[in-house]
Amino acid sequence: MQPLIDNARTFGQRPEEFAHLAEGQSPQVLFITCADSRVVPALITGARPGELFELRTAGNIVPPYASEHPTGEAATIEYAVEVLGVDDIVVCGHSHCGAIGALVRGDDLDAVPAVRDWLTNAADQPQCSDSADPTVAEAVQNHVLAQVLRLRSYPCVGKRLDAGELRLRGWYYEVHTGVVLEHREDSDTFETL
């Protein structure tokens, strides 16, 4: 913890770098990814403060839209799309994902009931031809596509997609190499950016 504290102490010693942020934010991208500490959106994309609006959830899960039971995730998506007017939404899954790995392996999650219950929001059971693969790459990529599809059911997203004002992107990040792949609709494969 001490190195983090030391950095936080010196971080605020450059106020001239941050003064313009008080004027507001205008990110062009909503970046939805896992809460995993190895996934750092600003590091992956090179984004500076104010350039990414982030939504981090266990397993980068986009829960089903339900207007009668709003969630923090739905509020974040709606705010990014309707208020901030982002141009793109990226759903970024990652290799070695504990949440998706647990689903693929059918792990007993009774000791962590909130995690178990949250993972029921994952849409379909992520498909994986090799459940012994520690990267769970195939399952994570399938899961990313399911979350991208689910985003389409959010009214604010659907409206902006229909108007041609929003793009949805599916990414896969390899934590062990740093490589980022993007889903290509024309070939239905994940390819290097």
Side-chain angles (χ1 to χ4, degrees):
M1 184 68 190
Q2 193 58 48
L4 301 176
I5 292 170
D6 293 343
N7 189 67
R9 283 184 180 137
T10 61
F11 191 71
Q13 294 177 1
R14 305 180 311 269
E16 65 283 355
E17 292 181 33
F18 302 100
H20 72 282
L21 296 174
E23 298 167 14
Q25 63 175 325
S26 57
Q28 295 184 6
V29 178
L30 168 59
F31 199 93
I32 301 172
T33 195
C34 188
D36 191 298
S37 63
R38 299 168 294 179
V39 181
V40 183
L43 185 62
I44 294 167
T45 63
R48 302 286 303 150
E51 293 180 341
L52 286 180
F53 199 66
E54 295 181 25
L55 173 58
R56 298 188 66 153
T57 68
N60 53 271
I61 292 172
V62 175
Y65 182 80
S67 61
E68 66 279 1
H69 299 290
T71 63
E73 295 82 17
T76 300
I77 293 164
E78 185 177 79
Y79 189 81
V81 172
E82 294 288 0
V83 177
L84 298 175
V86 297
D87 298 320
D88 292 273
I89 299 176
V90 173
V91 177
C92 182
H94 67 93
S95 68
H96 303 86
C97 182
I100 303 307
L103 289 172
V104 167
R105 293 184 301 271
D107 291 354
D108 178 2
L109 299 175
D110 287 342
V112 284
V115 173
R116 178 197 62 218
D117 294 348
W118 171 252
L119 293 180
T120 64
N121 289 306
D124 300 328
Q125 178 76 12
Q127 298 301 307
C128 187
S129 55
D130 181 7
S131 61
D133 174 12
T135 70
V136 290
E138 181 184 7
V140 170
Q141 290 172 7
N142 287 328
H143 173 70
V144 164
L145 296 178
Q147 302 318 295
V148 168
L149 183 61
R150 180 170 283 161
L151 277 167
R152 293 177 179 278
S153 71
Y154 279 61
C156 61
V157 172
K159 179 178 77 173
R160 292 269 317 280
L161 285 170
D162 291 345
E165 301 170 345
L166 183 66
R167 289 175 297 276
L168 298 179
R169 301 173 182 275
W171 286 12
Y172 172 74
Y173 170 64
E174 292 183 342
V175 299
H176 56 293
T177 66
V179 170
V180 178
L181 308 175
E182 181 172 34
H183 182 257
R184 306 280 191 219
E185 286 190 30
D186 57 341
S187 63
D188 195 26
T189 59
F190 279 80
E191 299 175 16
T192 306
L193 282 175

